[in-house]
């Protein structure tokens, strides 16, 4: 267990840099992403607690799926199907289900994307750290 931090962390996925205000972007990400980040007048529809809950639930689902390797001869396919459906259902509830043919807001290519607050985001751009 780690001690609580005095600072909030950057809102961008994968970045753990400290920021002064909740739901803010760190200076490193502002420098790296530059014009790709846009300030809006509307307040975010989520809080840090929402993001933490989302991350915790997804980590748990991935942990469950990673414990089972899919081998049709030895794996209980019903259990694997239920775990996969649980993951997909949770992503659908959050609007994070992948959809084909969407234009990624980062690379502007039509690919399989997930809906994010900034727009549709493809797998390749999500892996950029």
């Amino acid at each position: 267990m780690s001690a609580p931090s005095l600072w909030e962390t950057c809102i961008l996925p994968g970045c753990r840099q400290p920021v002064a205000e909740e739901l803010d972007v760190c200076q490193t990400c502002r420098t790296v992403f530059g014009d790709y980040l846009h300030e809006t007048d509307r307040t975010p529809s989520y809080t840090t607690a929402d993001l933490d809950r989302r991350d915790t639930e997804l980590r748990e689902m991935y942990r469950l799926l990673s414990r089972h390797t899919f081998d049709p001869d030895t794996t209980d396919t019903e259990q694997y199907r239920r775990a996969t459906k649980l993951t997909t259902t949770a992503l659908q509830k959050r609007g994070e289900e992948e959809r084909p043919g969407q234009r990624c807001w980062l690379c502007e290519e039509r690919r399989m994307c997930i809906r994010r607050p900034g727009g549709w985001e493809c797998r390749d751009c999500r892996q950029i750290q």
Side-chain angles (χ1 to χ4, degrees):
M1 176 131 182
S2 61
S5 174
L6 297 175
W7 303 96
E8 298 294 332
T9 57
C10 180
I11 187 72
L12 296 181
C15 181
R16 306 308 285 166
Q17 295 287 328
V19 293
E21 302 216 7
E22 182 180 41
L23 304 176
D24 199 6
V25 179
C26 70
Q27 191 58 43
T28 304
C29 289
R30 289 182 193 277
T31 303
V32 170
F33 294 111
D35 293 337
Y36 287 110
L37 297 175
H38 299 283
E39 294 283 337
T40 60
D41 293 334
R42 63 187 169 133
T43 58
S45 60
Y46 46 83
T47 64
T48 302
D50 294 333
L51 296 174
D52 290 342
R53 186 175 60 249
R54 175 203 63 190
D55 293 344
T56 302
E57 289 174 2
L58 281 176
R59 267 191 240 105
E60 182 59 30
M61 284 182 252
Y62 288 136
R63 191 174 298 119
L64 286 172
L65 287 173
S66 70
R67 289 181 189 153
H68 301 286
T69 56
F70 185 69
D71 180 11
D73 298 330
T74 60
T75 302
D76 177 8
T77 55
E78 180 63 23
Q79 183 180 12
Y80 183 80
R81 186 188 63 75
R82 283 192 308 233
T84 306
K85 185 175 182 180
L86 173 68
T87 304
T88 304
T89 304
L91 292 173
Q92 286 171 340
K93 285 181 183 177
R94 288 192 183 81
E96 294 181 9
E97 180 185 23
E98 287 188 318
R99 286 189 174 171
Q102 303 301 318
R103 187 179 301 272
C104 177
W105 72 279
L106 293 168
C107 66
E108 298 182 351
E109 296 290 326
R110 288 202 177 272
R111 297 182 177 171
M112 180 79 78
C113 296
I114 286 180
R115 181 77 173 157
R116 298 289 189 185
W120 292 97
E121 193 172 295
C122 70
R123 292 176 185 171
D124 294 340
C125 293
R126 282 196 310 269
Q127 293 179 2
I128 297 172
Q129 298 268 340

